[in-house]
C-alpha cells in the first residue's frame, strides 16, 4: 500500500508539501498541486484513518451516547447519524449505559469514554445528566450537542421539541373523537420530556372540563414490558375508559398486546394513542395512531450544528419542528 512518502517521492516534492495537498490545509502552487494529485492517482494512494488524523489534527469521528441499546427507538436515530457522517467522510463511535452506577453515572462515564477515544465532538441523548456534568467537561463542553433535552448553560447546543405542545395535541386528538373517559400510561416520572408531555396532556383535559385527578394514570418504563404491565393493572383496576394515551410507542405496543390477549377490541371498545410515531407504529395490530415527533429531523439538525462547530462546515441548522398526529387504525370515536 502506497504511503504519503511514496506520493512525495513520485511527485518530487517534500513530505510537508504532500501533506498540505492531502489535508487541504496550507497553500501550494497550482503546478505543485497538479504533480501531487497525479502521483496520488498513479499510486492509488488512500490515506489510512491514522494518517488522516495526523494530517487534519482531528479524528474525523463523532461520539454518540445513548442510555441503552434495545427496542426500536434508538436504531433509526443511530442509522440517520451514521449515514450523514459517512456521507461527509466521517465516522461514528457509540457508547451506552453500562456498569454498576446509576443512569447519571453511566452517562458521565459514557461521555468520558467517547472523549478518551478521540471523538471530535459528542451527540448526547439522555435525561439523566445535570448542568454541572457538562461544566465538568471544561472546554470540551463546547463540542457537545444534546438531543431532546434543554440545559441553560449550553442552550445553543440543545435540540428538542415542545413536548408540552405534543401532550396537548394528544389530548386534543382524543377529545375530538369524543373521548372523556381516558387512561394514561406515562413514562418515568423523572424524565423531563415525559413531565412536559403529561403536563400538556392534563392541562388540555382540564380545559375541556375533565379533572386531571379523575384520570387513571400509571408510570411505565418506556418499554413494551412497561406498557404491558401498566395495561394489565388498568384492566384489573375496574376503571372505565374508552381511550388510552401512552407516553411513547413502545409502551403502546405492550398495551395493545395486553389488550389483545385480554379480548379487548381496539379500536371498537378502546382507542389507543401513542407518542413518537416510531417505525414500529406502522406494524402493530391494529396500526398505531401516534403523535409524530420529528426525531430524525431534530437529530440531523443537531448533528449539522456539531459538524459546523467541529469542522468549520456551513451546514443549515433549523430549530423549529412541526408536530402532527399520524392517523392509523387504533383510534376511533368513543362508543356512547
Amino acid at each position: 500500500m502506497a504511503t504519503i512518502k511514496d506520493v512525495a517521492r513520485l511527485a518530487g516534492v517534500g513530505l510537508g508539501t504532500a501533506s498540505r495537498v492531502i489535508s487541504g490545509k496550507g497553500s501550494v502552487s497550482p503546478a505543485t498541486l497538479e504533480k501531487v494529485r497525479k502521483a496520488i492517482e498513479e499510486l492509488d494512494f488512500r490515506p489510512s484513518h491514522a494518517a488522516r488524523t495526523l494530517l487534519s489534527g482531528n479524528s474525523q469521528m463523532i461520539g454518540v451516547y445513548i442510555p441503552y441499546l434495545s427496542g426500536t427507538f434508538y436504531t433509526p436515530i443511530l442509522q440517520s447519524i451514521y449515514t450523514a457522517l459517512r456521507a461527509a467522510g466521517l465516522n461514528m463511535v457509540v457508547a451506552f449505559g453500562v456498569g454498576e452506577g446509576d443512569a447519571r453515572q453511566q452517562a458521565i462515564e459514557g461521555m468520558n469514554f467517547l472523549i478518551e477515544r478521540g471523538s471530535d465532538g459528542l451527540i448526547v441523548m439522555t435525561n439523566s445528566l445535570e448542568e454541572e456534568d457538562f461544566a465538568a467537561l471544561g472546554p470540551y463542553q463546547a463540542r457537545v450537542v444534546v438531543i431532546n433535552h434543554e440545559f441553560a448553560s449550553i442552550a445553543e447546543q440543545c435540540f428538542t421539541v415542545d413536548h408540552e405542545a405534543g401532550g396537548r395535541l394528544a389530548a386534543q386528538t382524543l377529545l375530538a373523537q369524543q373521548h372523556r373517559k381516558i387512561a394514561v400510561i406515562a413514562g418515568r416520572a423523572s424524565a423531563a420530556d415525559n413531565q412536559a408531555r403529561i403536563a400538556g396532556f392534563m392541562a388540555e383535559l382540564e380545559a375541556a372540563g375533565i379533572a386531571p385527578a379523575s384520570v387513571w394514570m400509571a408510570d411505565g418504563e418506556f418499554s413494551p414490558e412497561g406498557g404491558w404491565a401498566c395495561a394489565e393493572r388498568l384492566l384489573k383496576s375496574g376503571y372505565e375508559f374508552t381511550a388510552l394515551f401512552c407516553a411513547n410507542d413502545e409502551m403502546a405496543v405492550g398495551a395493545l398486546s395486553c389488550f389483545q390477549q385480554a379480548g379487548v377490541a381496539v379500536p371498537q371498545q378502546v382507542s389507543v394513542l401513542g407518542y413518537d410515531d416510531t417505525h414500529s407504529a406502522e406494524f402493530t395490530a391494529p396500526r398505531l395512531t401516534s403523535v409524530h415527533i420529528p426525531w430524525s429531523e431534530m437529530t440531523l439538525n443537531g448533528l449539522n450544528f456539531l459538524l459546523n462547530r467541529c469542522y468549520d462546515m456551513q451546514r443549515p441548522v433549523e430549530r423549529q419542528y412541526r408536530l402532527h398526529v399520524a392517523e392509523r387504525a387504533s383510534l376511533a370515536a368513543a362508543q356512547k
Side-chain angles (χ1 to χ4, degrees), residues 1-148:
M1 181 179 292
T3 68
I4 190 171
K5 290 182 179 179
D6 297 325
V7 172
R9 188 180 302 111
L10 181 61
V13 301
L15 186 61
T17 300
S19 295
R20 288 196 297 274
V21 173
I22 294 168
S23 67
K25 295 182 178 180
S27 59
V28 295
S29 69
T32 299
L33 178 64
E34 183 61 24
K35 286 195 295 183
V36 174
R37 284 180 173 172
K38 284 183 177 179
I40 290 172
E41 183 177 348
E42 184 175 334
L43 294 170
D44 192 25
F45 172 71
R46 298 180 182 179
S48 66
H49 176 74
R52 289 195 300 269
T53 298
L54 289 171
L55 290 169
S56 65
N58 56 56
S59 69
Q60 300 182 325
M61 184 168 62
I62 294 296
V64 181
Y65 178 80
I66 58 175
Y68 54 85
L69 192 58
S70 63
T72 60
F73 179 75
Y74 287 107
T75 302
I77 292 175
L78 291 176
Q79 185 175 26
S80 66
I81 294 172
Y82 182 70
T83 300
L85 287 174
R86 290 305 302 271
L90 304 169
N91 218 321
M92 175 178 83
V93 59
V94 179
F96 51 94
V98 294
E100 298 180 356
D102 60 15
R104 180 182 179 187
Q105 186 59 37
Q106 289 178 0
I108 292 170
E109 291 175 358
M111 288 197 301
N112 288 334
F113 168 84
L114 293 168
I115 293 170
E116 289 166 3
R117 293 302 180 277
S119 299
D120 295 325
L122 299 185
I123 293 178
V124 176
M125 297 187 70
T126 177
N127 284 307
S128 302
L129 293 169
E130 303 291 343
E131 295 272 0
E132 55 264 32
D133 299 327
F134 294 100
L137 298 178
Y140 195 95
Q141 72 172 317
R143 290 184 280 154
V144 175
V145 159
V146 178
I147 305 297
N148 197 42

Side-chain angles (χ1 to χ4, degrees), residues 303-317:
L303 177 62
N304 283 349
F305 177 91
L306 187 61
L307 297 184
N308 291 346
R309 177 156 290 189
C310 292
Y311 306 111
D312 295 324
M313 296 184 182
Q314 300 295 322
R315 293 183 167 228
V317 176

Side-chain angles (χ1 to χ4, degrees), residues 162-180 182 197-208 210 243 245 273-275 289 291 323-325 327 331-333:
D162 186 345
H163 285 290
E164 182 176 352
R168 287 184 177 275
L169 180 58
Q172 291 165 5
T173 300
L174 296 181
L175 291 169
Q177 295 291 336
Q178 307 304 310
H179 290 285
R180 298 187 68 81
I182 298 169
R197 78 192 62 161
I198 297 302
F201 186 85
M202 292 301 184
E204 198 67 25
L205 292 188
E206 188 169 28
I210 301 173
F245 170 54
L273 175 64
Y275 191 95
T289 297
V291 177
L323 307 182
H324 67 274
V325 174
E327 297 184 4
L331 179 64

